[in-house]
Amino acid sequence: MRIVVSLILVLSVALNVSAGQKVYDFNTRCEQAYDAIMQLRINAGRALLEAEKKEHPDNLMPYFLEDYADFFPLFFNEDPSEYSRKRGLRGFRLDKMAEGSPDSPYYLYTQAAIKFHWAMVKVKFNEKWDAAWEIRKAYITLKENQRRFPDFVPNKMLLGAMQTVFGTIPDGYKWITNILGMKGSIKEGMDNVNAFIESNAPEARYFREESYYYYCYLTLFVVNKPEDTWAFLQRKQLDTKNNYLFALMVANLAMNNQKAAVGIRVLQERNDSGEYADIQYYNYVYGLLKLTRLDDDAHVYLERFINNFKGKFYLKECLQRLSWYYYLEGNQAAANKYRAMILTRGGTETDADKQALKEAQSGKWPNAFLLKVRLLSDGGYFNEALKLLLTKKAADFDAMDEKLEYAYRLGRIYDETGQDDKAIQMYDVTVKVGANRPEYYAARASLQMGMIYEKRNDKAKAVQCYQKCMDMKGHDYKNSLDARAKAGIQRLSGS
């Protein structure tokens, strides 16, 4: 009798398996597909996933990885028609992931990651409230998965990224995250991201390179440790030649950290074969980088972006840079043409886009001399910028905003070249003169002074400067500067 019962049990198990029990199998082919997609070789990745579906129809992992294949083009290119066609796949994939066993850590993790992807996509398509709720769902799902599977390290990667960003939300907006049930801490968040990166768990290997994106962006823009970001990139020796996504990331980091020469070199040396996805963001970044070097062909890439990009982010900023290019070239007709386009094209979701619109509406053109200094300084060409700037004095400028910009630019160049005392002197003048003006110079000067004092471990003065930055009202780039000042205070408080 026992033999019969045992045979029945064995047969029932066999029947269940043959009936198609759904699994999350991150096998070799799925790894290859994921790597291809993360390099932006989207079509190659999709082909591998289709082969995996045919050979192993019960494997859910291909459906999860397909979400990455859709995410990157939607996020970078912002094509409304593509979004309209693909948005239904979110629900389909969440349903597919729910077909697996709840006893697997991938059951909740894959659902959370899909929600996280679509939250970021919805931000790009101006569905802010839906995006906030998607983030909330992803966060709560990850917290539950962390509770159930505390040793499953991919939880730490996504949770850490969210916690770090939530930690920068100004106190006046904390009620939003409290309502949504999301708590943030820069320290806790980065501890989680670092724990994932340093983990030897087998699951960490699958998502290792993805975690590098989170680490680099968070360390540069939130933790405000550019030296740690570049040291990390040097240590990891990322393949920016064959990984297009890495190339775009490093170029973007370079653009935002006065290292245009690095960004230009990376984009010039990348493998540009036809197997990589067509990402219009490349033209935007490359054009801006070349403009900081005052290259004659910078306009070529900026014009490609505005002619082919179907989204709204960065468009006003790009048009502003195009108008600057022609303004400095002495072609006022072309400068006026692109400035007029700022009024009707693109959105105002980013501070840079808002500032571009404000400048266009003002009808006033920047001082050409100071604009050249700004571009060179933004690109990290400090010696050239300083040599140019020192040919004049503040008294040579008639308008107060130009005198203020002169002091601020001089402070930034001293700051970036390690002449901290001279930088503080110029920043202090900028803050005293410009604290109640609409330009961003005083707020940014206060932020930069805070960073210098933080570096010197003078916490009291650093916090005072960060708070001063946040207290200034009505200036350009307020949201982004406030977020960085808030992050500074968080760092110093150790939370």
Side-chain angles (χ1 to χ4, degrees), residues 164-165 167-170 186 217-227 229 253 255-258 351 378 408 412 415-416 427 440 443-452 454 462-463 465-470 475 477-492:
T164 304
V165 173
T168 68
I169 294 173
I186 293 174
Y217 279 111
L218 293 170
T219 303
L220 182 63
F221 294 110
V222 178
V223 183
N224 190 45
K225 290 191 175 179
E227 64 283 357
T229 307
L253 293 171
M255 182 176 72
N256 285 281
N257 196 223
Q258 293 86 41
D351 277 353
D378 285 350
Y408 167 72
R412 280 304 301 274
D415 190 352
E416 298 296 342
Y427 284 152
Y440 68 92
R444 184 60 189 263
S446 193
L447 177 73
Q448 295 297 133
M449 273 200 293
M451 293 176 187
I452 293 173
E454 182 178 354
V463 169
C465 289
Y466 288 140
Q467 190 60 53
K468 178 80 171 175
C469 172
M470 294 174 65
H475 58 79
Y477 303 107
K478 179 161 178 61
N479 290 340
S480 54
L481 292 178
D482 278 5
R484 295 183 70 178
K486 173 69 174 178
I489 293 173
Q490 287 265 12
R491 286 192 303 274
L492 292 167

Side-chain angles (χ1 to χ4, degrees), residues 38-208:
M38 293 300 291
Q39 293 168 12
L40 296 184
R41 295 189 296 114
I42 305 290
N43 290 336
R46 287 190 188 279
L48 287 165
L49 294 177
E50 286 304 316
E52 177 64 18
K53 285 181 187 178
K54 288 178 182 176
E55 187 171 340
H56 302 117
D58 297 323
N59 188 4
L60 296 172
M61 200 55 73
Y63 297 95
F64 171 58
L65 297 180
E66 275 183 334
D67 207 62
Y68 284 86
D70 285 333
F71 166 73
F72 288 117
L74 284 172
F75 183 79
F76 282 119
N77 290 338
E78 300 177 39
D79 186 339
S81 60
E82 188 76 1
Y83 180 52
S84 181
R85 287 194 299 273
K86 297 269 178 87
R87 63 184 303 164
L89 291 171
R90 171 198 170 277
F92 167 75
R93 288 181 185 136
L94 288 174
D95 289 343
K96 290 296 290 185
M97 294 306 103
E99 291 176 10
S101 169
D103 294 328
S104 167
Y106 282 108
Y107 177 81
L108 288 178
Y109 179 80
T110 55
Q111 294 180 56
I114 289 170
K115 291 167 186 172
F116 183 68
H117 292 165
W118 286 93
M120 290 191 282
V121 168
K122 286 180 179 183
V123 167
K124 287 299 190 82
F125 290 93
N126 202 29
E127 297 179 9
K128 298 175 191 172
W129 188 244
D130 284 351
W133 279 103
E134 284 280 27
I135 284 287
R136 177 182 185 274
K137 292 172 188 173
Y139 178 78
I140 290 173
T141 303
L142 281 169
K143 290 290 282 185
E144 174 61 16
N145 208 39
Q146 180 83 334
R147 185 188 68 79
R148 294 182 58 194
F149 303 99
D151 296 327
F152 186 66
V153 292
N155 290 326
K156 293 182 179 293
M157 178 180 71
L158 282 186
L159 262 181
M162 291 186 203
Q163 289 166 333
T164 304
V165 173
F166 297 158
T168 68
I169 294 173
D171 291 336
Y173 293 92
K174 285 287 187 185
W175 61 272
I176 297 176
T177 51
N178 289 338
I179 288 174
L180 295 176
M182 302 182 294
K183 298 186 183 300
S185 161
I186 293 174
K187 184 180 184 305
E188 183 181 354
M190 290 308 298
D191 283 349
N192 274 326
V193 173
N194 281 307
F196 176 86
I197 289 174
E198 300 303 323
S199 172
N200 293 318
E203 299 89 357
R205 178 172 57 85
Y206 300 145
F207 303 103
R208 184 85 69 196

Side-chain angles (χ1 to χ4, degrees), residues 429-442:
V429 170
T430 305
V431 171
K432 286 176 179 174
V433 175
N436 296 312
R437 291 183 58 86
E439 298 87 11
Y440 68 92
Y441 308 129

